[in-house]
Amino acid sequence: MPPFPDLGLLERANRITDAFEKFLPPSFEVTTNILIKNVEETLKVGRGTGVDSFLIFPHAQYVARNGLENFDLSMKALNTFTKKFTSEFAIRPFIKKYPEKTLAVLAEWTKDSNEHVRRLVSEGTRPLLPWAIKLNEFAENPEPCFQLLELLKNDKAKYVQKSIANHLNDHSKKHPEKVVEILSRWQKEVKTRDMEWIIKHALRTLIKEGHPDALDLLGFGIPKGIELRNFKVEPAKVIFGEGVNFSFDIVSNAKSVANLVIDFKLYFKKSNGTLAPKVFKLTTSKLDPGASLTIQKFHPIRPITTRKYYPGEQQLSIQINGKEFEKLSFELVMGN
């Protein structure tokens, strides 16, 4: 117990799992049945209760570490545990060792009455899930994942729908055309608000990147008759720790209502002197023929852990429905 205050959540779970292995019976079958009973009868932990459900994290870790030679009991345990705490991390060693066998079980679980079990099918097969063993084989060939998601596409639980969308968003970074193709077909087959939500959420990275087919799928085609006017970036010299103001007008000369996704790009200077763009969301809007829209925005440029800033010229541009319009420069001054 003494080291616990200095340990992170995952480290604490692993330390408790160490204790299971040290003090509970050496038989995997005996100990796993103890843990199943513990979850079913003793730990009355509900979902959505903050970190309380993490009490069961060590149980799943024990099975992931020790259950590879007892597949059936391990699947029973993970099915039980995921109803109280997700087994999305613990299922992955089984996918790697027994891919066909585990995928067959997951396909059956798509029909489970418990939404947490169904959600595990999607979340547990995400190739690049944070904290988890990477499933690089699915990153390269996502077809097994797509087959499972096909079985879940009509799921009524928002918890499952969010996982489906996040899963497809992951794949959109490496297989954008395939993800757009799947969602385009789903849009025609499943005409519900839930499906529209899944499509929008799944395409968020591609929308941000201005992928034309993704934008078109959501009704944001290449803008015609759209003008950017009065674009200003101030001040010309931005002190690090403060920020940049920009404003612009959008005018529609289109013949019908224009559906617009409006973003801005900041081109940050890198250590080698080149500029690297990052897209930031602004808003979506419907613009009637002949109408205009004025947007003003302040963007702070302050220390963050995910970026190192370099002084000198930076640039800012406006992007509408994936099309980049005018680009202006400003100087970043690091100060004293």
Side-chain angles (χ1 to χ4, degrees), residues 10 25 42 77 97 111 120 145 183 243 273 275 283 325:
L10 180 59
T42 309
K97 184 164 185 177
K111 298 176 282 189
L120 171 62
C145 301
L183 291 173
L275 296 177
T283 187
F325 285 72

Side-chain angles (χ1 to χ4, degrees), residues 214-270:
L215 285 161
D216 191 53
L217 186 58
L218 291 178
F220 301 103
I222 299 297
K224 296 180 180 179
I226 297 297
E227 292 184 38
L228 183 74
R229 297 180 184 174
N230 304 319
F231 181 32
K232 298 177 183 178
V233 174
E234 300 173 325
K237 291 186 177 182
V238 176
I239 306 298
F240 183 65
E242 297 181 5
V244 60
N245 290 285
F246 62 95
S247 61
F248 57 93
D249 299 327
I250 299 175
V251 179
S252 174
N253 297 313
K255 296 180 180 179
S256 59
V257 175
N259 294 312
L260 305 178
V261 175
I262 307 165
D263 306 314
F264 68 100
K265 275 187 180 180
L266 268 172
Y267 288 80
F268 293 106
K269 188 175 181 180
K270 298 170 63 177

